Amino acid sequence: MKAPRRCTFCLMDETAPNIVFDAAGQCTFCRNFQATLAAMPTAEDRDARRRDLVREVREAGRGKRYDCIVGVSGGADSSYSLWLAVNEGLRPLAVHLDNGWNSELASHNIATLVSRLNVDLMTHVIDWEENRDMQRSFFAADVIDIELLMDSAMLATNFRAARRFGVKYILSGSNQATEGIIMPAGWNHSKYDAVNARAIHRRHGQVPIRTHPLYSTTQFLMDRYVRRIHWVSFLDYFDYDKASAMAFLKDELGYKPYPYKHYESVFTRFYQGCILPAKFGVDKRKLHLSALIVSGQMSRDEALALLEQDPYPDPLQKRDDRYFVLKKLGFSEAEFDTYMARPPVPHSAYPSELGRLEKLSRARKALRGVIGR
């Protein structure tokens, strides 16, 4: 089989739908990211914006126990965000969602970080039977974004904590430097589509869902525009270099790193390292490594050498993760092999709230056109 054409600048290739190459062989994904980086504020402007943001967070949190929420997964981006918040003199509440898949490294990193930074930690533990049944329903549906459940629950948990403590700012580890390449169409699904998640579970689930948190577009609009809670990509207010951040966390705060992004969860590791490439033809390392290339944090040769390795650097860990995931979800080897052999089904085969979101987006643009803002 002919290998897919690859961008001459980053690692994106023709496995990404709608990729277009220019005459020099550079793709639309990295060109768009370069344009985004070029439009970002200068270092001086960024520092000024950070000072303004920190002042606003402090003023909004005056008289309250906490002035911001920082969601922590045990990964480098969220861990560094928490340290930066403390270093800026803020009073964060660290919020963690435990969906039953934390690796030992993730648990170690979170416990060590909040202890050394003297930060309160609030952990929401999802009912495992509900989570298992929802995950199994996504397997039965053959849709790509099984991680939608975790990401939606994480959003719901962070915003719920903000409402509970009257906090107006959620400082996120999401950032342009390592995540600035736009996700190709079909590689994931909206994390705000609770309608889609519930519809999939209604069709394929067995256990009533009473407590599993999910976050919808309507909830986001209420939190953002009525309750005035801000979701801030905090790392974009700094000159964020991931390698330097990880070295600092490791040397100063006892952080233990992972080989690839989002490998702090056993399920996410197995999903990204095995299920996505083998069943859906998606290798998210192309996205993550390309972002580091474009932001100048890794050479293309270095990234390509990493990409040519197996997504699981340790074959024994791959074997152990497969055994663990199948046993925890209640799949036999034959059932899992049958799942892997079935063709994917798009999320659009189930009801969705994306249509409502698109209508609202069009209405907002039209309103801006009328009032000139």
Side-chain angles (χ1 to χ4, degrees), residues 60-89:
R62 195 180 305 280
K64 298 174 182 174
R65 185 173 179 181
Y66 310 105
D67 52 26
C68 59
I69 301 289
V70 179
V72 291
S73 65
D77 296 341
S78 62
S79 297
Y80 198 61
S81 295
L82 183 63
W83 177 80
L84 287 171
V86 172
N87 193 51
E88 290 290 334

Side-chain angles (χ1 to χ4, degrees), residues 162-180:
R163 294 194 296 271
R164 175 180 172 185
F165 292 100
V167 171
K168 297 299 183 184
Y169 288 87
I170 301 172
L171 306 184
S172 162
S174 58
N175 66 93
Q176 286 290 331
T178 65
E179 300 171 337

Side-chain angles (χ1 to χ4, degrees), residues 204-226:
H204 300 285
Q206 305 291 327
V207 176
I209 302 302
R210 296 190 175 91
T211 64
H212 192 295
L214 290 171
Y215 201 61
S216 69
T217 303
T218 303
Q219 287 172 306
F220 171 73
L221 294 173
M222 289 293 294
D223 281 333
R224 178 65 186 89
Y225 296 105
V226 177

